[in-house]
Amino acid sequence: MTATFNNISYRWKTASWLLKIVYINIAVFLVLRVIAVVGFFIGAETNFWLRWIECPSSFSILIQQPWTIFTYMFAQFDVLHILFNMLWLYGFGRLFLEFNSQKQLLALYIYGGLLGAVVFMLGYNFLPAFEYSVGWLIGSSASAIAIVIATAILNPDYKVGLLFIGQISLKWIAIITLVIFFLGLSGENSGGHMAHFGGALAGALYGMMMRRGIDITRSFNYLLDGIANSFSVLKNFKFPECNKEKRPKANKWKTTKTQQNNSNVAGNASASPEDQAELDKILDKIKKSGYTALSAEEKKRLFEVSSRIK
């Protein structure tokens, strides 16, 4: 069990941000499906759990659960939904990383999700077709589309091979995708398609600005770096430890090996080389990590050896 956990931990630490995003989406999907299965057998309402992850179209509801504007873009509930989104994201994400950094991919993923939620909410609140209705948004489609459109704008003539179609330029894939989304605006998933256009807008802005040499993700990444550095400082910060044992005085132990050897030769000719070597080893550890870093056995040996050398 420990080996499995260590393997998962290692894979997570060494994975790219693209893979980490995919892992998070898959993990959230599995959790939601397990909850749904358990809820089905105990007769509980599964939509209750989804409402805490999905982004609502109502501003008043969003104020009560503001985290959903982020959580929705990492969650899927249907099998085909997560399958197509992850294939779409991973395929174009790899192309995106050939010309952009991992941090830029993460930032654009977030930008696409946020702008997708904004367009979704604006459509539901200001278009007559959605009057007196509340919608719920879930899925990483808007974030994935942002990466697709950005990649197509930065490398419009880059060709990829598609099944049954053959080689096709990225610009045509982007155009066909947007046409499909437009035609679906009047369907059952009209709110989702509006979010897709929000993600597409984020990708278009990123691509066009990058072509001019302007990285719109720079501020976001500066913010993330600042947060990461803050956590790193807190993680490395050590509070003073309270120890019941009396800590030796600094001037008693923080002496150089030369001084120790000289004092040993002058004060106690009977000190064995083994005792002196063991004392040197313990004193080196105290100099590097402090007295409290010693184990109980090392403290005991320190007392015994120093008593014989004195």
Side-chain angles (χ1 to χ4, degrees), residues 5-289:
F5 177 80
N6 291 336
N7 185 42
I8 294 174
S9 177
Y10 174 77
R11 287 181 177 275
W12 171 262
K13 291 179 181 179
T14 57
S16 65
W17 268 114
L18 174 61
L19 283 177
K20 287 180 178 179
I21 293 172
V22 172
Y23 292 159
I24 293 172
N25 276 271
I26 294 175
V28 173
F29 167 77
L30 293 175
V31 170
L32 292 178
R33 295 305 302 185
V34 169
I35 293 175
V37 171
V38 174
F40 172 78
F41 283 107
I42 65 175
E45 176 60 47
T46 57
N47 285 341
F48 170 77
W49 297 99
L50 289 177
R51 294 296 181 257
W52 288 93
I53 295 177
E54 296 174 317
C55 179
S57 62
S58 170
F59 289 103
S60 59
I61 299 178
L62 181 64
I63 292 175
Q64 299 175 33
Q65 46 189 66
W67 61 85
T68 56
I69 201 169
F70 292 99
T71 57
Y72 96 90
M73 68 180 76
F74 293 96
Q76 275 85 194
F77 190 72
D78 296 324
V79 176
L80 291 180
H81 195 192
I82 189 171
L83 177 63
F84 284 110
N85 279 348
M86 293 304 99
L87 290 174
W88 200 247
L89 172 65
Y90 184 73
F92 277 87
R94 292 184 62 183
L95 294 177
F96 181 89
L97 290 177
E98 290 187 14
F99 311 98
N100 302 268
S101 70
Q102 295 189 43
K103 287 184 177 181
Q104 288 171 325
L105 182 139
L106 173 62
L108 183 56
Y109 184 94
I110 300 296
Y111 282 2
L114 290 177
L115 200 51
V118 169
V119 173
F120 165 76
M121 297 183 70
L122 291 177
Y124 259 86
N125 285 274
F126 296 103
L127 292 179
F130 304 101
E131 192 173 8
Y132 306 118
S133 61
V134 176
W136 298 87
L137 185 63
I138 186 172
S140 58
S141 302
S143 298
I145 291 302
I147 294 172
V148 171
I149 299 301
T151 306
I153 290 178
L154 291 173
N155 307 277
D157 297 319
Y158 188 98
K159 295 184 181 295
V160 295
L162 297 181
L163 186 64
F164 305 125
I165 297 178
Q167 296 291 317
I168 184 173
S169 300
L170 293 182
K171 61 184 177 184
W172 289 113
I173 294 179
I175 292 172
I176 293 171
T177 301
L178 293 177
V179 170
I180 293 174
F181 290 157
F182 177 78
L183 296 177
L185 284 174
S186 60
E188 294 181 357
N189 190 30
S190 55
H193 287 308
M194 286 192 297
H196 295 162
F197 277 102
L201 178 59
L205 288 173
Y206 174 85
M208 290 187 293
M209 296 304 288
M210 281 297 290
R211 290 177 71 94
R212 298 181 180 181
I214 302 173
D215 182 7
I216 64 174
T217 67
R218 183 173 300 175
S219 299
F220 177 85
N221 286 320
Y222 279 155
L223 176 62
L224 284 188
D225 289 340
I227 295 174
N229 291 335
S230 299
F231 275 105
S232 178
V233 171
L234 291 175
K235 182 179 179 181
N236 296 328
F237 180 78
K238 294 182 179 180
F239 289 95
E241 297 182 13
C242 296
N243 198 314
K244 293 182 179 179
E245 298 183 28
K246 186 176 180 180
R247 187 167 181 165
K249 294 181 180 180
N251 60 354
K252 180 177 180 180
W253 304 113
K254 292 184 178 179
T255 56
T256 63
K257 290 184 179 181
T258 302
Q259 292 172 327
Q260 292 166 2
N261 292 334
N262 291 340
S263 62
N264 289 336
V265 172
N268 192 343
S270 63
S272 67
E274 292 79 7
D275 286 344
Q276 187 62 54
E278 187 171 8
L279 181 62
D280 289 342
K281 182 178 179 180
I282 296 174
L283 290 176
D284 284 339
K285 186 172 182 179
I286 293 175
K287 291 171 65 178
K288 293 179 180 178
S289 306

